Amino acid sequence: MGRHALPGQPPVPLTLRKSARARRISLRISQLDGRVTLTYPQGVPESEALSFAKTKEDWIREHLEARPDAVDIGFGESIPIEGVVRRIVPAEGRRILLDRDNVSVPAGGEARRLARFLKELARDRLIGACDDYAAMLGRSYSSLTMRDTRSRWGSCSSHGGLMFSWRLILAPSEVLHYVAAHEVAHLAEMNHSPAFWAQVERIFGPYSEPRRWLRENGTDLHRYRFDAGT
């Protein structure tokens, strides 16, 4: 995998990937970090792939400019918590406090402190939701873990282990609950068959709206930058 760039202001970094499975040259722009990946077949010269990217420069720059700006967590910034946008302000005491308009965070490492608080809040909400849905389903899960995943919001292993992105706590509550129900339903149906979706609807109810919200707005939840490793 090589790195190049389209010249211009600003230059656009390109990640080149030669693939034995590729049948044509293709471009992909990550909605999470804006990385531009140029994939091309084994028999195609690198220069030809770069020429292809040059012909798509206007398209690439247009898509990059349309991406939402990243938000570095700190005092004065705003962040959605359970779908409610709150301003980050200094706390008078040593605890993080939520009210309708603000999240008060003690000074000093506030991004790291807030990330830890959000992870704990997400775990609390997800355990409660998964316990309820598992009881309705008549199945039990073996574990529940939290990660900062980039490619999926949740998963269910064949051994009943549930995994969720803690950033779901930034989404509206019904979206978090939908994802919890989705993964719990996999305890009964390890697929996405009509039988699976019937289980989701049985334990959660109509799910089209939260599913659509996540598809249309989920990328924005990755805008918020905390300390490394969150």
Side-chain angles (χ1 to χ4, degrees), residues 16-230:
L16 270 64
R17 187 169 69 89
K18 185 179 290 188
S19 170
R21 300 176 61 184
R23 295 292 177 264
R24 58 184 177 82
I25 304 172
S26 63
L27 278 165
R28 178 178 179 274
I29 301 176
S30 170
Q31 293 300 308
L32 298 178
D33 58 14
R35 179 182 300 178
V36 182
T37 301
L38 179 63
T39 303
Y40 59 104
Q42 291 280 6
V44 173
E46 182 179 280
S47 59
E48 184 177 335
L50 290 170
S51 294
F52 174 82
K54 182 63 178 176
T55 67
K56 300 295 184 180
E57 181 176 357
D58 289 345
W59 177 85
I60 293 171
R61 291 187 181 278
E62 181 178 309
H63 277 70
L64 290 176
E65 289 173 3
R67 292 182 65 246
D69 294 334
V71 176
D72 292 317
I73 294 300
F75 294 135
E77 296 292 349
S78 295
I79 185 171
I81 301 176
E82 297 189 288
V84 178
V85 177
R86 295 175 167 94
R87 188 174 178 84
I88 304 169
V89 299
E92 295 182 0
R94 300 177 62 182
R95 295 177 56 194
I96 294 179
L97 299 175
L98 284 177
D99 61 36
R100 190 176 68 177
D101 301 315
N102 300 313
V103 53
S104 302
V105 184
E110 51 270 11
R112 184 179 64 255
R113 288 173 185 261
L114 183 55
R116 186 164 58 244
F117 171 83
L118 292 173
K119 290 176 186 178
E120 293 172 355
L121 186 60
R123 175 180 291 277
D124 178 73
R125 298 291 191 264
L126 284 162
I127 287 176
C130 289
D131 284 352
D132 289 345
Y133 294 135
M136 294 172 66
L137 193 67
R139 303 292 180 99
S140 60
Y141 59 92
S142 59
S143 63
L144 190 152
T145 58
M146 310 292 296
R147 297 179 186 170
D148 191 8
T149 47
R150 295 281 173 172
S151 60
R152 57 177 61 185
W153 296 107
S155 66
C156 176
S157 75
S158 59
H159 301 293
L162 303 179
M163 183 282 298
F164 296 97
S165 168
W166 65 262
R167 288 179 185 261
L168 285 167
I169 198 62
L170 307 180
S173 178
E174 62 269 21
V175 173
L176 179 147
H177 279 74
Y178 157 68
V179 177
H182 182 116
E183 300 310 332
V184 166
H186 280 308
L187 296 170
E189 298 285 345
M190 286 296 290
N191 51 57
H192 287 100
S193 65
F196 164 78
W197 291 108
Q199 294 285 16
V200 175
E201 187 157 16
R202 182 170 75 83
I203 62 176
F204 176 78
Y207 54 80
S208 60
E209 286 302 318
R211 189 183 183 202
R212 182 182 300 112
W213 189 98
L214 200 57
R215 186 168 56 247
E216 295 177 352
N217 302 284
T219 298
D220 285 352
L221 304 185
H222 290 279
R223 296 173 57 207
Y224 301 95
R225 294 178 177 172
F226 299 81
D227 289 352
T230 60

